[in-house]
Amino acid sequence: MGRYEHSKIKKTKIIRGKSNPSSYNVISHRTTTYSSIPKTDGDIYVITQQGDRLDNLAHQFYGDVGLWWYIAKANNLTFITIPVGTSLRIPKSTQYAVGT
């Protein structure tokens, strides 16, 4: 599951140049928003050890290194690396990994 899989696409046409104008098509992703991730009884809590990173934990628990951001969001983190001894919540389900 890609992080931006459900993002809306924005298509824009721009024109540049005065004497010899050229037209360009610009395609970009719109901002994707994600709902909060509620705590459940099935969530797993871990204390990080030397060498732990969110991508490794995502692979271990979800089988997808690309879901590192989901663990980060659940724990209000912004980096893939985490200090040793950090308590992390690993959500049981990735059902809230779909944005709008």
Side-chain angles (χ1 to χ4, degrees), residues 37-56:
I37 306 167
K39 293 181 180 180
T40 67
D41 290 338
D43 291 347
I44 299 166
Y45 291 85
V46 298
I47 304 294
T48 58
Q49 299 176 4
Q50 184 68 34
D52 279 345
R53 292 191 333 240
L54 295 181
D55 56 340
N56 293 336

Side-chain angles (χ1 to χ4, degrees), residues 25-92:
N25 291 318
V26 178
I27 298 173
S28 61
H29 289 280
R30 293 185 179 260
T31 300
T32 303
T33 56
Y34 296 91
S35 63
S36 61
I37 306 167
K39 293 181 180 180
T40 67
D41 290 338
D43 291 347
I44 299 166
Y45 291 85
V46 298
I47 304 294
T48 58
Q49 299 176 4
Q50 184 68 34
D52 279 345
R53 292 191 333 240
L54 295 181
D55 56 340
N56 293 336
L57 293 170
H59 182 272
Q60 179 181 347
F61 290 101
Y62 303 132
D64 183 350
V65 296
L67 286 172
W68 72 269
W69 66 270
Y70 189 67
I71 298 171
K73 179 168 177 50
N75 292 279
N76 296 316
L77 300 172
T78 55
F79 295 99
I80 201 166
T81 57
I82 37 184
V84 172
T86 302
S87 176
L88 291 178
R89 175 173 72 99
I90 311 293
K92 176 183 179 181

Side-chain angles (χ1 to χ4, degrees), residues 1-46:
M1 162 187 333
R3 183 175 184 181
Y4 301 107
E5 184 176 330
H6 298 285
S7 296
K8 293 180 175 68
I9 303 285
K10 179 182 178 183
K11 297 178 182 179
T12 308
K13 181 178 259 189
I14 59 172
I15 298 175
R16 293 202 154 174
K18 292 184 179 181
S19 61
N20 189 13
S22 297
S23 175
Y24 299 91
N25 291 318
V26 178
I27 298 173
S28 61
H29 289 280
R30 293 185 179 260
T31 300
T32 303
T33 56
Y34 296 91
S35 63
S36 61
I37 306 167
K39 293 181 180 180
T40 67
D41 290 338
D43 291 347
I44 299 166
Y45 291 85
V46 298

